[in-house]
Amino acid sequence: MNIDTRPGRHRAPGGYSPFGELKSIARESAQPAMKGAAVVAAAGGLVATLSAPASAETITDTSAVVAAPKVAAPKAAVAVGPDAATVPALAPAPALSSIGYTAPAPKKAAKPKPLVIKDVVVEKDRKEAAAKKAAAEKARKAAAARDAAERASRDSSRTSLTTPTYTEKSTVNGTSGTKSSYNWATAGQCTWGALNKWYQSEGYYPGGWTGNAMEWAWGAANAGYTVSGTPRTRSILVMQPGVYGSSSVGHVAWVTAVNGNEVTIIEMNALAGPYNYNTRTLTDISGMKYIYAP
């Protein structure tokens, strides 16, 4: 008698049902499969598990294989706020546009002014330099004004101021007075120049008086010389202060020509300055006397 020693299930003869056997195998094998699927799902893996058969034999029936449940991937974070691509543009308000209102353009932000840091020392130096420059300019203008006044005074001496005192040339001869052996006036002045011209014309120096130019007519008369208000060549012209720009002590010159009431003279320390001669023609007026040479 043969005895079946194969491992496996033993059933009573006539009690075998294929469908019941499959159902029992599936139920027993599903329990360990479900447990394994839960462990894999907790680890984040998607693993398909196959349940091992309860018996020692290998089960080749594919109906006993149970797939592990799929684990859904985590959803992306939801963005907060409106999406610029989906937000519609604001349409102009029909109520304002209907009455002609137009929204003003946005004002531009004002540019900030640059911060200027001043150097106190430099500012002080600049102010001092400007003050010096202004003072120099003021002095220059004052000097120019003085020069202009002097030129005007000289020019006025060339202009007739009054009606002439005579109409004909005088032919009166002078008297001889006191003589001097040297030029006794101050060198470079108008007095020295007039005496020098007398000497060049007459060969000697007149003398017998002293004093400023305005006193010469009186002094020469007392020294014996003829003094007249009528102009004549070969005579010394004596002008009182202010006449044709004469100084406060008067002025003298040598007469070289007379033409009616026009008198041509040569003078020192006038328009040309000390030690220098110049020539000019004047109209005979009050305040002018003449010392005749003999």
Side-chain angles (χ1 to χ4, degrees):
M1 175 178 171
N2 295 329
I3 299 174
D4 189 1
T5 60
R6 294 176 298 171
R9 298 178 182 275
H10 301 277
R11 305 170 185 83
Y16 173 74
S17 172
F19 294 103
E21 185 70 14
L22 291 173
K23 183 177 181 182
S24 176
I25 293 172
R27 181 174 61 253
E28 291 177 1
S29 62
Q31 292 179 359
M34 290 297 291
K35 293 178 180 180
V39 173
V40 174
L46 300 176
V47 182
T49 59
L50 298 175
S51 59
S55 62
E57 296 180 350
T58 301
I59 304 302
T60 59
D61 191 353
T62 58
S63 62
V65 178
V66 179
K70 294 182 179 180
V71 179
K75 296 182 179 180
V78 180
V80 178
D83 189 354
T86 59
V87 176
L90 296 177
L96 297 177
S97 60
S98 63
I99 62 175
Y101 174 78
T102 304
K107 296 182 178 179
K108 294 183 180 179
K111 294 183 179 180
K113 295 182 178 180
L115 180 61
V116 179
I117 301 177
K118 295 184 178 180
D119 192 323
V120 178
V121 177
V122 173
E123 289 292 328
K124 182 180 178 181
D125 293 342
R126 288 178 178 174
K127 289 182 179 179
E128 291 178 354
K132 291 180 180 178
K133 184 177 180 181
E137 181 65 15
K138 184 177 180 181
R140 185 190 66 79
K141 290 182 178 180
R146 288 193 300 269
D147 293 342
E150 291 177 1
R151 286 194 298 270
S153 177
R154 296 189 196 106
D155 293 341
S156 66
S157 65
R158 302 171 185 172
T159 305
S160 175
L161 301 178
T162 61
T163 305
T165 57
Y166 67 96
T167 56
E168 294 182 0
K169 179 179 179 181
S170 173
T171 58
V172 177
N173 292 324
T175 58
S176 180
T178 306
K179 298 179 181 180
S180 175
S181 60
Y182 67 96
N183 190 332
W184 46 268
T186 303
Q189 299 299 310
C190 63
T191 51
W192 189 95
L195 292 178
N196 186 58
K197 288 300 178 182
W198 180 298
Y199 176 83
Q200 292 176 357
S201 174
E202 307 301 320
Y204 68 94
Y205 294 104
W209 74 89
T210 59
N212 294 322
M214 57 186 287
E215 302 169 348
W216 274 29
W218 175 83
N222 288 337
Y225 290 92
T226 301
V227 177
S228 171
T230 302
R232 198 203 74 170
T233 57
R234 297 176 46 249
S235 67
I236 291 179
L237 168 63
V238 180
M239 292 185 285
Q240 296 302 305
V243 176
Y244 290 115
S246 299
S247 69
S248 60
V249 294
H251 184 60
V252 292
W254 178 253
V255 179
T256 59
V258 175
N259 184 14
N261 62 346
E262 299 298 316
V263 181
T264 301
I265 61 173
I266 184 170
E267 58 190 344
M268 179 173 284
N269 193 23
L271 303 182
Y275 294 97
N276 296 312
Y277 284 107
N278 65 268
T279 300
R280 55 177 172 163
T281 299
L282 309 175
T283 300
D284 182 60
I285 60 173
S286 176
M288 298 170 65
K289 296 290 184 179
Y290 301 88
I291 304 173
Y292 293 169

